Amino acid sequence: MYFPGIEAFLAIVRTESISKAAELLHLSQATVSYRLKTLEQEMGGLLVERRKGAPKISLTPKGENFFSIAERWDALWRETQILQASGSQLSLAISAAESISHFVLPPVYRMLNQYSPSIRLQIRTQHTQEAFDSIERREMDVAFVVREIVSPSVTVKPFFTEEIVLLRLAVPGRQAGDTVEMEELAAEHEVFINWNREFQFRHDQWWDPLCPSRVHLDTAGLITTFLKDARQWTIVPASIGAHMMRMGDFVLQKLSVSVPPRTCYKVTHKFPNQALHEPLRILDNYLQNVFGIQ
């Protein structure tokens, strides 16, 4: 793949102008246009619409489809340059679900960051399907996800299990550790996050799915923004609950029904590259130290 053309294409998309792309890349407009044309010939069709007098460029359908591919090529090229410069330094690319990366793995991240000789770390937040795809394509070395996906090219192992708890504002008469009946929790006051498929299934059994909560989130980081009323409540994994307790005046309680715990999984390629054996061994040792499971 013609990388100078990819670089020119991405610059044009980001600046919405060939002239501004030339300024960004410190090249002449003619050179940028030539690189784009060469890339288009390689791709077998136009990627960028050229309209005289138009204030901004626009992408053809082929260009829109190629944009995400071009971004991955660019990222891989930069990774290659860093790898060449780092020589024999250990490196580890970690993909993790947001709720795992922010609330479960920080102790492991700190250990990896303090390891000597230093390990070059790349940490990316991805949803489960994205993470599996990244491992299969060998773009990432290890992933931490909230559910299993069957794939012939990856290995999936549980590494951490935690209970699910009720999080509410701390108010007089509301004690930590108390058991709360489901009838006390009105659906319209829930701050809802879907932790996994099993949780969603059980949730729909406990509360009428036709009477949903007013606030639906896909990130735990926003809980403190919305959990402001004493009537509001949310159900979270214990690691997130403990973090929220440190962030504000909250209380953790138990639900009167049996709530399935949340299991987190470690995903690696079945046939990792030889260079990954040592950093993965170091990672497994830290997982063992922190969670007791390898």
Side-chain angles (χ1 to χ4, degrees):
M1 185 63 69
Y2 180 57
F3 184 77
I6 292 176
E7 184 181 44
F9 171 75
L10 289 174
I12 292 168
V13 173
R14 289 163 182 164
T15 62
E16 300 181 320
S17 163
I18 291 179
S19 61
K20 291 181 180 178
E23 293 177 11
L24 180 67
L25 298 174
H26 304 290
L27 298 170
S28 67
Q29 289 189 45
T31 299
V32 171
S33 296
Y34 171 78
R35 291 182 177 183
L36 174 62
K37 184 177 180 180
T38 302
L39 176 65
E40 289 177 326
Q41 290 174 344
E42 185 174 351
M43 292 298 299
L46 293 178
L47 301 175
V48 175
E49 294 280 5
R50 298 164 176 79
R51 297 176 184 173
K52 288 187 177 180
K56 297 180 181 179
I57 64 95
S58 60
L59 297 180
T60 64
K62 181 184 282 287
E64 291 178 353
N65 292 332
F66 181 67
F67 178 65
S68 62
I69 298 173
E71 285 192 310
R72 293 203 297 270
W73 267 95
D74 182 62
L76 289 172
W77 181 83
R78 295 180 189 280
E79 284 291 301
T80 302
Q81 298 301 110
I82 293 172
L83 183 61
Q84 290 175 344
S86 65
S88 59
Q89 181 185 13
L90 296 177
S91 66
L92 190 63
I94 301 172
S95 167
E98 182 263 352
S99 62
I100 298 178
S101 190
H102 290 193
F103 305 105
V104 176
L105 290 177
V108 177
Y109 291 161
R110 287 191 288 269
M111 290 176 175
L112 289 170
N113 192 45
Q114 294 168 4
Y115 185 82
S116 182
S118 63
I119 301 174
R120 187 175 61 84
L121 294 174
Q122 177 190 354
I123 299 173
R124 184 183 300 173
T125 301
Q126 293 183 313
H127 294 297
T128 294
Q129 185 61 63
E130 291 179 291
F132 271 83
D133 292 343
S134 295
I135 295 297
E136 289 178 338
R137 293 194 298 260
R138 299 182 186 273
E139 294 176 359
M140 307 301 287
D141 304 324
V142 60
F144 296 95
V145 299
V146 296
R147 62 184 174 92
E148 294 183 88
I149 295 180
V150 177
S151 170
S153 60
V154 304
T155 298
V156 183
K157 294 181 179 180
F159 81 95
F160 178 61
T161 299
E162 60 182 332
E163 65 176 336
I164 301 294
V165 295
L166 175 67
L167 179 71
R168 296 198 286 176
L169 285 178
V171 297
R174 190 173 284 176
Q175 299 296 321
D178 279 358
T179 298
V180 178
E181 298 295 329
M182 312 301 275
E183 294 77 13
E184 297 180 42
L185 304 171
E188 62 267 25
H189 298 311
E190 180 183 17
V191 176
F192 176 79
I193 301 179
N194 183 11
W195 299 112
N196 53 44
R197 290 174 181 173
E198 185 176 19
F199 174 78
Q200 178 73 72
F201 176 75
R202 296 295 186 90
H203 186 278
D204 289 347
Q205 291 180 321
W206 301 326
W207 291 280
D208 183 357
L210 299 180
C211 181
S213 63
R214 189 166 58 87
V215 180
H216 283 236
L217 305 177
D218 68 353
T219 173
L222 288 175
I223 288 176
T224 54
T225 300
F226 290 95
L227 207 63
K228 299 294 186 181
D229 190 304
R231 297 172 298 174
Q232 290 180 300
W233 55 277
T234 186
I235 300 175
V236 297
S239 60
I240 296 175
H243 178 84
M244 295 302 164
M245 291 280 288
R246 296 190 292 270
M247 295 286 291
D249 295 326
F250 297 105
V251 62
L252 295 180
Q253 298 178 310
K254 299 178 181 179
L255 294 167
S256 59
V257 299
S258 176
V259 184
R262 182 177 81 150
T263 299
C264 304
Y265 301 90
K266 183 188 77 167
V267 183
T268 53
H269 201 282
K270 279 190 176 178
F271 308 103
N273 297 328
Q274 183 68 32
L276 285 176
H277 289 178
E278 182 61 12
L280 287 177
R281 183 194 65 78
I282 296 167
L283 173 64
D284 284 342
N285 285 341
Y286 289 153
L287 293 174
Q288 174 72 24
N289 292 340
V290 175
F291 304 111
I293 300 175
Q294 195 165 24

